[in-house]
Amino acid sequence: MNIVLENRKKKDDEIEIILLKNTEKLPSKTQKILDKINFKNSKFNTYFEISSKKIFVYMKNKDRESIKIAISKAVNTLKKYTCFYIDIKSLNKELRIEDLVQGFVLGSYKFLKYKKKEKKEKTLCINIKNTKEQTKDLQKRLQDSLSLCQSVNFVRDIVNTPAQDFYPKTMANEALEIAKKKNMSCSIYGEDYMQENSLNAIYAVGRASRHESQLIHLSYKACNPTGMRTKNPKAKIVLVGKGVTYDTGGLSLKRGDGMVSMKCDKAGAISILGVMKYLSQSNLDIEVHAILGAVENMIGSNACKPDDVIKIGNKTVEITNTDAEGRLVLADCLVYAQKNINNIDYILDLATLTGSSIGAFGGYTSAVLGHSEKLKNKISKASKRSGELVGFLPFNIYMQDILKSGVADILNSSANKNGAAIIGSMFLDNFIEKKYKKKWLHFDIAGPSYRKVNWGYNPYGATGAGVRLVVEFLKDISVKNQ
Ligand code: BES
Ligand code: ZN
Ligand code: ZN
């Protein structure tokens, strides 16, 4: 994907994208055709005028998300074409370069790893003739948006990759690859370390897999231009990710239909890898630790069983459902983070934790839970800036008893699935130290991270949900003093 800023007219082989609202004056011939085909009847209608090589996209609203969807619609309508052109002023001052880049790069993504078809590189020329903005500033914003979108597509590629080709060690290798940049560092821990250091939950969940479980600790520390670590970064953030490379449900085995797509169960960890990849190319003045629990939840003679009791941190957990494995993995990662990293300002965990979060919000929205209204407010703002949807679910004192166990300190899952998204995060709350309660948020991304439909500028399958949201949050805190 290539995007260039130029000050020139459209070339003959380029398709010009024209985003139409209600008021534009068009050549009468074009106008007549658009009237005839009822072009303005529904949002994102397209009309391709082959003689002039122009594609018109109707936009009812000119908000930022609509611009991204419209660009994506244009590119996907003309799949065979590779060269596109747009005038930065084609939609008055609302048009931001970031939205053009997201619409184009995210909208034209295809997962072709297992198809005969080859990826066609597409280019977009943005004509900057009529803008007052400095080319240097635009160029900087273009590079930043490209880096963000490439990180989103990197996440999509991995989450779409089946478990036969992507397992815990593959995830560790991806982290090590990102760690080659000088502002990054990485430690990988295997099952020996887990057994020696009481990371019993990750070990138990991954025990029946032929692939060794991995705990990945990847860090970003801001550097100044000479490559030296900056002294007082604005904040220290921990990002915890559920990296279940395949979720069969374990001995509480999923039924056939419910197991299909469970390659997506690593999406929390991989989205965080995407954020770290973006950070490695940025200079945000923060310190970020990614703690990823990479395991495969399988069946086998040594699998963890319902009724088993494991110790996580200083609490014992009675397993009632081996399919509620994500919360076990996350709990171990949260305990590891609070023990090994000091003075944390924010802890965010991302996970495809429950089908219930899809039931609650309908699949396009991440469910967010936590104790701090102030922090949720920051996330609401990041949601608006990024275009990723979030919804908040409440904790509930009456539900606390649901996880009471007769033999251990708590159960890992309730008897029925009512309110499972809330119960799952209340389980995690047990592993957040008092001093961090208001610094922690849980994101259940089961819905938006993987969908079996195209939506907006998201393709079938993995979407990279969480990357843009978290990056917007990080950008915000990296400019503000705490
Ligand atoms: N990985 C699933 C959650 C999931 C469901 C992700 C659908 C993506 C799409 C998780 O491990 C799981 O199985 N959760 C159970 C929890 C239950 C046993 C309390 C669920 O949602 O049914
Ligand atoms: Zn599960
Ligand atoms: Zn799972």
Side-chain angles (χ1 to χ4, degrees):
M1 221 59 56
N2 191 17
I3 304 186
V4 290
L5 301 178
E6 280 175 17
N7 182 344
R8 63 160 172 85
K9 288 201 171 118
K10 160 178 137 49
K11 288 180 187 162
D12 283 349
D13 65 336
E14 288 173 332
I15 310 288
E16 180 164 7
I17 302 173
I18 299 182
L19 306 175
L20 282 185
K21 293 187 293 162
N22 278 318
T23 48
E24 296 83 353
K25 284 208 172 68
L26 295 170
S28 63
K29 204 179 110 205
T30 310
Q31 188 62 58
K32 267 187 195 150
I33 297 173
L34 291 183
D35 290 343
K36 208 170 162 189
I37 62 168
N38 242 339
F39 180 70
K40 291 186 178 172
N41 212 19
S42 62
K43 268 201 277 188
F44 308 119
N45 256 351
T46 55
Y47 169 65
F48 181 42
E49 193 172 68
I50 198 152
S51 56
S52 61
K53 285 216 167 138
K54 286 180 179 167
I55 180 157
F56 298 90
V57 189
Y58 175 53
M59 298 182 54
K60 215 166 171 181
N61 307 310
K62 51 186 180 175
D63 57 276
R64 298 187 58 183
E65 284 307 284
S66 294
I67 289 168
K68 297 176 198 172
I69 299 170
I71 301 285
S72 155
K73 193 77 204 279
V75 184
N76 284 306
T77 305
L78 301 176
K79 284 200 176 69
K80 280 190 208 141
Y81 292 84
T82 52
C83 300
F84 293 86
Y85 173 97
I86 192 163
D87 198 317
I88 199 160
K89 276 283 150 148
S90 68
L91 199 79
N92 65 38
K93 47 183 181 301
E94 263 87 4
L95 189 53
R96 295 203 202 189
I97 192 152
E98 288 82 359
D99 303 330
L100 278 184
V101 177
Q102 287 194 22
F104 190 73
V105 182
L106 301 183
S108 51
Y109 171 84
K110 297 275 171 299
F111 181 62
L112 299 174
K113 196 167 172 176
Y114 299 94
K115 294 250 191 204
K116 266 201 201 115
K117 279 189 209 159
E118 267 178 44
K119 252 185 197 163
K120 275 189 193 159
E121 274 303 306
K122 290 191 194 293
T123 61
L124 174 68
C125 169
I126 303 175
N127 179 25
I128 51 170
K129 183 161 186 253
N130 298 313
T131 178
K132 285 192 202 94
E133 283 181 78
Q134 293 287 318
T135 311
K136 219 174 105 191
D137 291 344
L138 281 175
Q139 198 68 48
K140 227 171 130 189
R141 285 167 57 193
L142 168 66
Q143 287 317 320
D144 184 63
S145 309
L146 268 176
S147 161
L148 180 60
C149 291
Q150 279 154 3
S151 296
V152 173
N153 285 347
F154 159 84
V155 173
R156 290 170 168 183
D157 270 340
I158 294 181
V159 175
N160 281 325
T161 300
Q164 71 194 58
D165 290 334
F166 198 93
Y167 34 88
K169 281 224 166 101
T170 336
M171 198 185 304
N173 288 337
E174 290 290 348
L176 289 169
E177 190 61 37
I178 296 171
K180 283 182 181 164
K181 287 273 170 69
K182 61 176 181 288
N183 49 9
M184 309 294 297
S185 55
C186 186
S187 303
I188 308 288
Y189 305 104
E191 292 185 354
D192 286 346
Y193 177 94
M194 287 169 201
Q195 283 173 284
E196 282 156 21
N197 291 276
S198 307
L199 290 164
N200 304 314
I202 306 187
Y203 177 69
V205 172
R207 212 165 57 193
S209 168
R210 71 187 176 95
H211 296 294
E212 187 186 358
S213 304
Q214 307 279 290
L215 177 77
I216 300 165
H217 182 166
L218 176 64
S219 331
Y220 162 83
K221 285 185 183 147
C223 282
N224 61 27
T226 56
M228 299 279 286
R229 295 267 152 93
T230 58
K231 276 217 176 94
N232 294 308
K234 296 275 190 321
K236 196 189 277 186
I237 302 106
V238 167
L239 303 174
V240 170
K242 169 179 174 182
V244 176
T245 53
Y246 202 76
D247 184 11
T248 63
L251 290 175
S252 314
L253 196 63
K254 286 181 184 296
R255 285 155 52 144
D257 278 0
M259 203 186 294
V260 177
S261 307
M262 278 303 138
K263 63 178 181 179
C264 78
D265 217 20
K266 55 189 179 295
I270 305 303
S271 285
I272 292 175
L273 265 191
V275 171
M276 299 308 277
K277 190 177 168 71
Y278 169 83
L279 288 176
S280 74
Q281 293 156 3
S282 80
N283 55 4
L284 297 190
D285 190 18
I286 47 178
E287 181 175 323
V288 184
H289 295 264
I291 312 296
L292 314 176
V295 292
E296 194 180 49
N297 188 19
M298 298 294 289
I299 53 170
S301 60
N302 62 342
C304 165
K305 303 173 191 73
D307 297 342
D308 281 355
V309 176
I310 54 172
K311 193 161 187 196
I312 306 181
N314 55 13
K315 288 203 167 89
T316 53
V317 180
E318 182 189 356
I319 309 292
T320 42
N321 192 328
T322 62
D323 198 12
E325 82 298 342
R327 61 197 70 181
L328 300 172
V329 173
L330 287 178
D332 250 1
C333 292
L334 287 166
V335 168
Y336 168 91
Q338 293 166 98
K339 198 167 137 194
N340 292 286
I341 305 162
N342 51 28
N343 298 325
I344 306 168
D345 294 299
Y346 299 102
I347 304 175
L348 311 183
D349 76 74
L350 269 70
T352 47
L353 207 70
T354 63
S356 146
S357 70
I358 308 176
F361 289 115
Y364 301 94
T365 304
S366 293
V368 184
L369 294 101
H371 298 288
S372 163
E373 293 310 313
K374 203 170 144 197
L375 189 47
K376 287 188 219 170
N377 255 330
K378 279 187 193 288
I379 290 300
S380 284
K381 288 183 184 148
S383 155
K384 292 207 176 80
R385 287 194 303 275
S386 66
E388 283 197 41
L389 300 173
V390 297
F392 299 97
L393 288 175
F395 288 128
N396 181 334
I397 52 161
Y398 303 106
M399 287 162 102
Q400 270 160 359
D401 287 350
I402 294 175
L403 292 181
K404 272 203 173 143
S405 162
V407 295
D409 294 331
I410 45 170
L411 301 174
N412 83 319
S413 114
S414 51
N416 64 47
K417 289 189 180 176
N418 295 342
I422 298 176
I423 294 168
S425 80
M426 286 173 75
F427 175 89
L428 297 176
D429 190 26
N430 279 282
F431 300 93
I432 303 291
E433 291 170 25
K434 220 171 182 179
K435 63 178 177 195
Y436 290 130
K437 289 281 182 205
K438 293 221 163 196
K439 300 181 171 184
W440 164 68
L441 283 183
H442 161 67
F443 294 74
D444 193 334
I445 62 168
S449 59
Y450 191 95
R451 294 190 58 73
K452 290 181 192 165
V453 288
N454 299 316
W455 51 294
Y457 44 95
N458 288 295
Y460 174 101
T463 63
V467 178
R468 290 175 302 145
L469 179 70
V470 173
V471 165
E472 282 299 338
F473 170 77
L474 295 178
K475 278 185 176 174
D476 184 38
I477 55 177
S478 72
V479 292
K480 281 185 192 151
N481 281 320
Q482 297 309 299

